[in-house]
Amino acid sequence: MTDSAALKKCIAESGISISFIAKKMGITREGFYKKLNGDTEFKASEISCIKNILGLSANERDRIFFANEVELNATVNC
């Protein structure tokens, strides 16, 4: 699951608009909000686009988009 709060914080700190990000991703602003609110999931290509637009490091990207899944998988394998 996406850490929406962390993603929103990164977007706010960047000063880049949601509309600009959505347009670069090739989706509507409303579609972006659905993904941001967890109604739909981000595609790998969209995550890569957001990483590039916001200048996220690989660690930041993973923390925002994959942290919960990694924690869950780690618990299952114990």
Side-chain angles (χ1 to χ4, degrees):
M1 296 229 16
T2 301
D3 183 345
S4 295
L7 181 54
K8 288 175 184 178
K9 181 179 177 189
C10 287
I11 292 169
E13 289 175 352
S14 75
I16 299 171
S17 73
I18 295 287
S19 296
F20 177 84
I21 296 170
K23 185 175 180 178
K24 287 291 192 181
M25 290 171 56
I27 63 174
T28 64
R29 196 186 76 176
E30 291 78 14
F32 186 84
Y33 275 113
K34 285 184 180 182
K35 292 173 186 288
L36 192 58
N37 293 324
D39 297 330
T40 59
E41 293 185 11
F42 286 97
K43 296 178 185 177
S45 60
E46 295 168 340
I47 293 170
S48 178
C49 186
I50 292 169
K51 178 187 179 293
N52 292 335
I53 292 169
L54 297 179
L56 301 175
S57 69
N59 287 336
E60 289 171 318
R61 177 205 58 208
D62 292 349
R63 181 179 47 81
I64 292 169
F65 292 101
F66 305 114
N68 292 337
E69 292 177 17
V70 171
E71 281 182 32
L72 177 62
N73 290 336
T75 304
V76 171
N77 293 329
C78 289

